[in-house]
Amino acid sequence: MSAPNVSSNGPLVVLASSRAVLTLPDDSLVVSPATILVSPVTGKIVSIVPALVPRSSFPSSISYKDYSPRILIPGLVDAHVHLNEPGRTEWEGFHTGTKAAASGGVTTVIDMPLNAIPPTTTLEGFKVKLAASQGQCWVDVGFYGGVVPGNAEELLPLVEAGVRGFKGFLIDSGVEEFPAISSTDIALAMTTLKDTPTTLMFHAEMIPPIADSVGDAVQKSDPPLAPRGELSSYNTFLESRPPAFETYAVEEIVALASLAPQLHLHIVHLSALECIPILREARASGVNITAETCFHYLALAADHIEDGDTRHKCCPPIRSLSNQDRLWAELGHADGCIKTVVSDHSPCTPELKLLPAHLQHVEEDSYQTMMRHSDSGIDMTLPNGDLARLTKVEGQGDFFAAWGGISSVGLGLPILYTAAVERAQDGEENVPTLVDIVRLCAQATAAQVGLSHRKGGLRVGMDADVCVFDDADVWTLHAGAMRWKNKCSPWEGKTFRGRVHETWVRGQKVFQHGAPNAGFAVGAKPVGRAIVERRTV
């Protein structure tokens, strides 16, 4: 077989395999043998031959690697990641967060606007965030802006500056600098952005007016529902944030959608199955609304969470196995409302998780509180507001006092693939294949943030973002192998099927499993770039 045209203004690299997930001209995905020529200079895919072209067909000067039988897929686009820098870099930063992403075949992350200080709710705040990211990113990074009360005048300038979309909370966010928005704020954001190519996203939890709550104090971030049981019981926490919180919020958003008929609305981290018929009905009536769910909602279940294991705390909460089944069923529908799957990597320092002693990986006397938060309505401020070093952790295993968030960036591909394989082995129907996972975690997430022209697919002219995935590799995650900053995650000790062996970002290999320096070449520098092009779709 003759080689493709290799004429170029610079060096070329050939990545080949007997299996690759390619994007066809009609945007459909297909598994095919492939020989992919990429340019490390332009960072683009130069040519694709849907066949396995041998090394002998190319000049000796060209770098060539046949990865068969491992499969080549486009680098994933994780459209929901909290990197927290600047301001709370001790939770996670650009350097460590993007390294973790790269180790799992994620070549683009989109950073959420909160948990950094300042938040990305103003143009000036965005500039501070960009400055902090320079020279630190191992993968490409895009950014969301935030919608908070009183910042409507900042939204269009943020669009011009290149943010990929906006996020607002309909319930307390847990951090003071990112307050929740009212229906009035939502309406103003919709009318401001209605003629703009962007996505308006919502943390869709809202306290129904009929909720059996602690009274008016609930508006001051007291527990949304009065705990009825031990605070270390996961079931107590789960009952405090029922599905009604999500359905009420989704109904509120849908009711306002007519203010901006063309604006793409999006529900982040959907967990409650009860939202699905509401969203389906809205979409059928012409509302431009979609939803995402997360790896942890698809592979972790309340039925298996031990009391006190606060590694599992997140908001909305991880729900039951029966709820999980309905989320999987929705992924299997071509016309379903859940279009993307993301990590919602929301880390913190281990002390804020209030882990029981048997789950701690640091000395107990090293714990210290780093911030005030009211994530579950509990005021964690120390006396006089001072930061202090604690010799004993109070509230260990308390789901209400612990910070909510799951660390998993870069782990999504093996999580989702493992769960899908297991469900298929159990006889479940319409289980997503690896091709479907590429659609949900690369192609559709790129579209969600207006990057389909360059991200989320293996096609000539697109960024040469490539993940080499061994779907036969079986391995167990231990804390030492976690590449995010704080080694605290409910995925510790889990065994996975499928592992990323290499990650290429714009034609440059940034990660290789098993190589020295934890897979990142000694002396190598981060090659990721901030994505600040103005969105056009």
Side-chain angles (χ1 to χ4, degrees):
M1 179 178 295
S2 61
N5 187 347
V6 296
S7 60
S8 171
N9 293 327
L12 291 175
V13 173
V14 178
L15 311 179
S17 178
S18 57
R19 297 184 300 155
V21 179
L22 305 179
T23 304
L24 299 181
D26 64 356
D27 288 332
S28 62
L29 301 173
V30 64
V31 177
S32 167
T35 304
I36 304 171
L37 276 72
V38 304
S39 169
V41 176
T42 66
K44 299 294 183 180
I45 296 175
V46 175
S47 174
I48 297 178
V49 177
L52 186 57
V53 181
R55 174 71 182 91
S56 58
S57 298
F58 293 91
S60 59
S61 59
I62 286 183
S63 174
Y64 176 100
K65 180 66 180 291
D66 180 1
Y67 292 97
S68 305
R70 294 169 180 162
I71 188 167
L72 306 180
I73 65 173
L76 304 191
V77 178
D78 192 339
H80 192 142
V81 175
H82 294 264
L83 293 175
N84 305 339
E85 185 175 4
R88 294 191 178 103
T89 310
E90 69 273 10
W91 293 17
E92 188 68 274
F94 287 105
H95 187 81
T96 50
T98 58
K99 255 192 173 181
S103 71
V106 177
T107 53
T108 306
V109 300
I110 312 298
D111 177 65
M112 279 291 165
L114 74 157
N115 295 349
I117 303 174
T120 313
T121 54
T122 66
L123 184 59
E124 185 58 34
F126 184 36
K127 292 177 180 177
V128 173
K129 168 79 75 168
L130 284 174
S133 73
Q134 294 303 303
Q136 294 206 73
C137 300
W138 292 86
V139 303
D140 290 348
V141 179
F143 303 87
Y144 291 123
V147 177
V148 295
N151 82 325
E153 293 184 356
E154 296 281 351
L155 303 184
L156 292 179
L158 283 167
V159 170
E160 291 298 322
V163 301
R164 315 314 301 171
F166 295 89
K167 180 185 182 180
F169 275 72
L170 276 67
I171 199 168
D172 182 54
S173 72
V175 292
E176 294 178 338
E177 64 275 3
F178 205 96
I181 51 178
S182 66
S183 296
T184 301
D185 299 316
I186 296 171
L188 184 55
M190 286 182 174
T191 54
T192 300
L193 297 170
K194 66 179 181 178
D195 298 318
T196 304
T198 192
T199 299
L200 182 57
M201 309 180 300
F202 302 93
H203 179 125
E205 285 185 289
M206 199 171 184
I207 301 168
I210 60 171
D212 179 14
S213 73
V214 294
D216 292 341
V218 77
Q219 302 303 330
K220 297 184 174 68
S221 297
D222 285 336
L225 290 185
R228 296 176 178 175
E230 294 294 327
L231 301 185
S232 61
S233 167
Y234 185 76
N235 192 58
T236 302
F237 171 65
L238 182 61
E239 290 179 349
S240 78
R241 298 184 93 106
F245 280 26
E246 291 190 67
T247 58
Y248 187 56
V250 171
E251 287 169 344
E252 184 76 5
I253 295 161
V254 170
L256 294 168
S258 60
L259 295 173
Q262 304 305 314
L263 181 63
H264 178 209
L265 308 176
H266 185 73
I267 307 301
V268 300
H269 49 50
L270 181 75
S271 81
L273 67 87
E274 291 85 352
C275 293
I276 292 173
I278 302 171
L279 291 168
R280 276 179 161 260
E281 182 179 356
R283 287 172 56 80
S285 66
V287 177
N288 185 13
I289 189 167
T290 57
E292 68 189 35
T293 194
C294 301
F295 304 119
H296 44 274
Y297 298 133
L298 294 169
L300 299 173
D303 311 57
H304 302 145
I305 298 175
E306 295 183 0
D307 289 351
D309 192 349
T310 50
R311 296 175 303 175
H312 292 82
K313 182 187 174 181
C314 59
C315 301
I318 296 165
R319 303 192 188 275
S320 67
L321 280 169
S322 58
N323 184 93
Q324 183 184 95
D325 288 342
R326 186 65 182 88
L327 297 179
W328 276 97
E330 190 67 6
L331 290 183
H333 285 289
D335 59 347
C337 61
I338 301 177
K339 299 298 185 184
T340 54
V341 183
V342 297
S343 71
D344 187 11
H345 176 69
S346 186
C348 66
T349 51
E351 59 268 24
L352 290 178
K353 275 294 187 182
L354 298 176
L355 299 174
H358 70 284
L359 295 177
Q360 296 173 15
H361 291 295
V362 296
E363 294 297 323
E364 183 174 302
D365 65 1
S366 71
Y367 275 58
Q368 59 180 322
T369 186
M370 304 303 291
M371 65 162 295
R372 171 179 177 171
H373 77 80
S374 54
D375 177 61
S376 285
I378 303 296
D379 187 354
M380 295 292 290
T381 308
L382 290 177
N384 302 318
D386 295 331
L387 296 179
R389 192 169 184 82
L390 304 180
T391 58
K392 181 180 179 181
V393 183
E394 297 183 1
Q396 288 179 347
D398 184 338
F399 279 100
F400 289 82
W403 176 258
I406 305 290
S407 292
S408 62
V409 67
L411 198 58
L413 183 54
I415 291 172
L416 201 54
Y417 184 72
T418 300
V421 169
E422 290 175 351
R423 294 182 74 87
Q425 290 174 342
D426 290 341
E428 298 286 343
E429 298 181 353
N430 298 321
V431 176
T433 64
L434 186 56
V435 170
D436 294 320
I437 292 172
V438 168
R439 172 176 52 81
L440 291 163
C441 302
Q443 184 181 54
T445 44
Q448 180 180 309
V449 296
L451 289 173
S452 291
H453 61 293
R454 52 180 290 201
K455 300 291 186 182
L458 298 181
R459 182 161 58 188
V460 173
M462 297 184 74
D463 286 358
D465 296 343
V466 183
C467 166
V468 181
F469 186 61
D470 186 345
D471 52 353
D473 198 343
V474 177
W475 60 287
T476 301
L477 177 69
H478 299 291
M482 298 177 189
R483 290 181 173 85
W484 45 80
K485 178 163 288 189
N486 294 291
K487 317 304 183 186
C488 175
S489 175
W491 301 109
E492 181 181 355
K494 305 291 186 184
T495 297
F496 299 104
R497 180 186 176 95
R499 190 201 290 260
V500 172
H501 277 252
E502 287 187 16
T503 302
W504 294 68
V505 175
R506 284 179 284 98
Q508 300 181 66
K509 183 165 64 175
V510 297
F511 171 78
Q512 181 176 343
H513 172 66
N517 198 35
F520 295 85
V522 176
K525 296 181 179 179
V527 301
R529 297 174 182 169
I531 299 173
V532 292
E533 63 181 64
R534 189 186 188 282
R535 184 169 173 173
T536 59
V537 293

